[in-house]
Amino acid sequence: MSGFKGFLSHRLGWDLYLKPFLYKKLPSDLGWSATLGSLCALVFVVEVVTGMLLAMYYNPSPDLAYESIQFIMNDVSMGNILRGIHHWGASAMVILVFTHLMTVFFSGSYKTPRELTWTIGVFLFLFTLGLGFTGYLLPWDQKAYWATVVSSNIPRDIPLIGDYITRIMLGGDRISGLTLTRFYSLHMLVLPSLLAIFVLIHIYLIRIHGLAEHPVSAVAAEKPQQGEPAGEIAFYPEHLFKCTILFTIVFGVILALAFFAHVPLEDKVGTIDDAYLPRPDWYYMWLFQILTFFSGSSEVIGSLVIPLGGVCLLFLMPWLSKNNLRGLADRPLATAMGTVSIIGIVYLTLMGFAGARPYGQIVPVPDRTLTPSETVGLAVFVARDCAYCHNIHGKGGRTVGPDLTNMPAKKRTDRELIAFIRDPQSVSRWSIMPKYDLTHSQAQGIADFILALDFSTWDMKIIHRDQILSNQSAGPDTVSLNHSRRHAKME
Ligand code: HEC
């Protein structure tokens, strides 16, 4: 080698380091799933580049954040595309990182000697989610604000230090400008740096231990190997070629979404809207959904035990089983756990979306004059937000609990209903319905009201929530939304 080429190759250590890195031999039977890691890294680069460009226009102050996003969307040339790529790229990255994690999980590639590679990978997954979480607040719109309110309340369930953690997170008691700058710093300095460093360690470890070969189950391994002995391919060009093809497809999809799909920007923080229903970004939807299943003292199960338990389990995976068998059939427990988690997450996500509609705006009632007791019951139904979980004749609420029109058909008596509503767990042990501390007349009222919901006898009339709230004289003590954490914590 001579001249400039020789100079460069000598100065850069080409023969010693770069060339072996680039031409590293890989198992020839590497499938497409082996490109997932590289894809994650490439999409991260896309996020970094678009993020840098967005940061040139974004202003992390409560007064100007929202306006600066509007400026990016309307005035910066290609600004909406830029934000689109960053937005959809983030979703793509979450999907890719999760798929990568799951592929490694199911192929048992986290086992010896790749325990640390896996641990670093779990960190990378958490950083990715953290980037999504912190990025969410930055547009300073309603959605951003409420999602942050709900999630920043989660640490409060931790005994002793919980409130303190929430304070640190928010930079005070409430969401304020300090929260915004805090999240901004995490989002564009802290987390990306950590992610980049961990990616490097991850790659280094992969290079030391090699990519895992295809898992062979104990059963299959006993059969004699058939066909040609596996040849070898190199990182460059064969593997990189595959990565490039897939990345082009992924980037194409992101680009198409950026052009054709609208990136939401809701009203600015502080806009008053009673009917506003907070929603997280789609990849947190399942967690949000879990929160709604627990209330009161069991709240901590949904907010901490399940999510933290899941993360701990992920970290501990390589150390949970001593054997080094990697075939799916050899690891029934891990396989079952992984499958159940994925099904659960998908199911909860779908449920979250199905339930993320406004509720409680209308109440169907029988078209006749309600008795005084039924009127009290109607007021309780509205004030206590029963529609958060119950429909009446398929209307007005959500479907977490049974439709309340079915109670007359189920031949429930008022006493049974009262006993149930006051303490659901005393009637059915696993009930997820919260207890309602009602006065005697309120309890009798809600039971009478539910039993009046018999639309085979009466026609239906629709009443609006505001109408009911303005008609009744319910003092502040009856208007308690304490049953649902979303609402309780938003107060
Ligand atoms: C967090 C969700 C949730 C809220 C809020 C809620 N419920 Fe329920 N409710 C349920 C679920 C779920 C069931 C089904 C049985 C179970 O799991 O407890 C149920 C069951 C019932 C039943 C049926 C009992 C039976 O005998 O079949 C009645 C009546 C009822 N709820 C009334 C109310 C009233 C009245 C309110 C408001 C004061 C209310 N619920 C608020 C979730 C909820």
Side-chain angles (χ1 to χ4, degrees):
M1 234 178 271
S2 63
F4 186 59
K5 213 171 147 193
F7 170 84
L8 260 191
S9 108
H10 186 247
R11 294 298 178 276
L12 294 177
W14 170 256
D15 289 326
L16 217 50
Y17 296 110
L18 289 183
K19 197 171 159 197
F21 183 89
L22 208 56
Y23 290 95
K24 165 98 180 176
K25 293 276 181 255
L26 305 171
S28 69
D29 59 348
L30 270 192
W32 288 90
S33 65
T35 57
L36 279 168
S38 317
L39 281 184
C40 300
L42 288 170
V43 176
F44 177 56
V45 173
V46 171
E47 291 302 279
V48 169
V49 174
T50 48
M52 285 175 175
L53 294 172
L54 286 170
M56 293 178 183
Y57 301 100
Y58 178 71
N59 187 325
S61 76
D63 292 336
L64 293 172
Y66 186 78
E67 278 74 11
S68 65
I69 300 284
Q70 280 186 322
F71 180 75
I72 291 173
M73 297 292 279
N74 303 327
D75 299 307
V76 175
S77 89
M78 303 287 271
N80 53 346
I81 304 295
L82 191 65
R83 178 162 178 250
I85 298 178
H86 199 70
H87 177 90
W88 298 113
S91 289
M93 192 163 152
V94 173
I95 296 181
L96 288 170
V97 174
F98 184 71
T99 318
H100 182 34
L101 189 89
M102 280 299 137
T103 328
V104 172
F105 178 88
F106 281 114
S107 64
S109 309
Y110 54 81
K111 300 203 166 201
T112 318
R114 302 188 182 81
E115 298 94 331
L116 279 186
T117 325
W118 166 266
T119 310
I120 300 283
V122 176
F123 273 116
L124 289 173
F125 177 57
L126 296 180
F127 292 157
T128 307
L129 289 180
L131 278 166
F133 175 63
T134 47
Y136 209 64
L137 181 65
L138 303 185
W140 204 245
D141 62 355
Q142 289 270 37
K143 189 174 178 177
Y145 182 79
W146 287 116
T148 309
V149 169
V150 173
S151 37
S152 63
N153 273 312
I154 289 179
R156 280 198 217 268
D157 286 336
I158 306 175
L160 301 177
I161 51 166
D163 277 337
Y164 192 62
I165 297 183
T166 299
R167 278 187 63 90
I168 294 184
M169 214 165 125
L170 298 183
D173 289 328
R174 306 181 294 107
I175 295 188
S176 65
L178 284 177
T179 322
L180 189 56
T181 40
R182 199 158 282 223
F183 275 42
Y184 188 47
S185 158
L186 284 171
H187 185 75
M188 64 164 234
L189 295 170
V190 182
L191 287 169
S193 321
L194 282 174
L195 196 94
I197 294 171
F198 276 58
V199 165
L200 292 182
I201 305 178
H202 200 62
I203 296 178
Y204 169 76
L205 289 173
I206 292 172
R207 274 313 163 93
I208 291 189
H209 300 296
L211 287 175
E213 327 69 48
H214 269 303
V216 185
S217 81
V219 190
E222 284 169 11
K223 293 190 203 144
Q225 285 279 332
Q226 290 182 349
E228 304 256 304
E232 285 195 326
I233 60 169
F235 178 70
Y236 175 84
E238 287 90 349
H239 190 63
L240 219 50
F241 178 65
K242 269 188 184 170
C243 297
T244 315
I245 295 183
L246 276 192
F247 177 69
T248 314
I249 298 176
V250 170
F251 190 66
V253 173
I254 296 176
L255 212 56
L257 283 169
F259 268 97
F260 300 114
H262 164 76
V263 180
L265 182 64
E266 300 186 344
D267 289 335
K268 189 175 171 173
V269 167
T271 317
I272 292 169
D273 178 4
D274 274 345
Y276 189 76
L277 194 63
R279 270 159 301 121
D281 217 354
W282 65 264
Y283 42 90
Y284 281 115
M285 195 55 118
W286 63 281
L287 267 180
F288 222 62
Q289 191 63 22
I290 290 184
L291 291 183
T292 65
F293 287 135
F294 302 93
S295 62
S297 54
S298 60
E299 194 175 276
V300 60
I301 301 180
S303 58
L304 289 173
V305 177
I306 296 181
L308 286 188
V311 170
C312 288
L313 214 64
L314 277 181
F315 273 117
L316 290 178
M317 245 9 250
W319 288 278
L320 287 182
S321 144
K322 288 262 179 297
N323 77 42
N324 221 9
L325 296 174
R326 295 182 23 229
L328 283 182
D330 302 320
R331 307 184 296 131
L333 190 63
T335 309
M337 259 166 39
T339 316
V340 169
S341 315
I342 291 188
I343 294 178
I345 289 176
V346 171
Y347 176 72
L348 287 169
T349 306
L350 294 179
M351 257 179 83
F353 276 102
R357 287 181 276 113
Y359 63 90
Q361 297 310 298
I362 54 159
V363 188
V365 296
D367 191 8
R368 61 173 165 80
T369 320
L370 296 181
T371 66
S373 178
E374 285 164 3
T375 313
V376 172
L378 172 62
V380 171
F381 182 85
V382 172
R384 295 300 180 99
D385 257 350
C386 305
Y388 185 73
C389 297
H390 292 287
N391 263 323
I392 294 179
H393 209 66
K395 288 190 199 310
R398 308 196 317 153
T399 52
V400 181
D403 196 312
L404 291 183
T405 6
N406 298 335
M407 294 309 126
K410 281 194 198 163
K411 303 254 184 312
R412 294 279 188 267
T413 63
D414 55 348
R415 302 189 57 157
E416 281 169 350
L417 290 178
I418 292 175
F420 185 85
I421 296 166
R422 283 204 161 136
D423 189 359
Q425 286 79 13
S426 73
V427 180
S428 87
R429 181 150 170 245
W430 302 113
S431 176
I432 58 162
M433 181 165 138
K435 287 183 184 156
Y436 286 91
D437 190 9
L438 301 171
T439 64
H440 178 73
S441 61
Q442 285 173 334
Q444 188 63 48
I446 185 79
D448 289 344
F449 173 69
I450 292 174
L451 291 175
L453 300 172
D454 179 0
F455 298 110
S456 53
T457 320
W458 304 100
D459 283 341
M460 184 194 295
K461 182 169 73 175
I462 300 285
I463 313 190
H464 286 267
R465 178 193 175 92
D466 310 336
Q467 228 172 312
I468 302 162
L469 287 176
S470 55
N471 283 351
Q472 48 130 347
S473 55
D477 51 284
T478 54
V479 188
S480 151
L481 301 175
N482 251 342
H483 66 270
S484 116
R485 69 169 294 125
R486 291 191 192 175
H487 289 263
K489 301 255 157 132
M490 278 159 44
E491 294 299 316

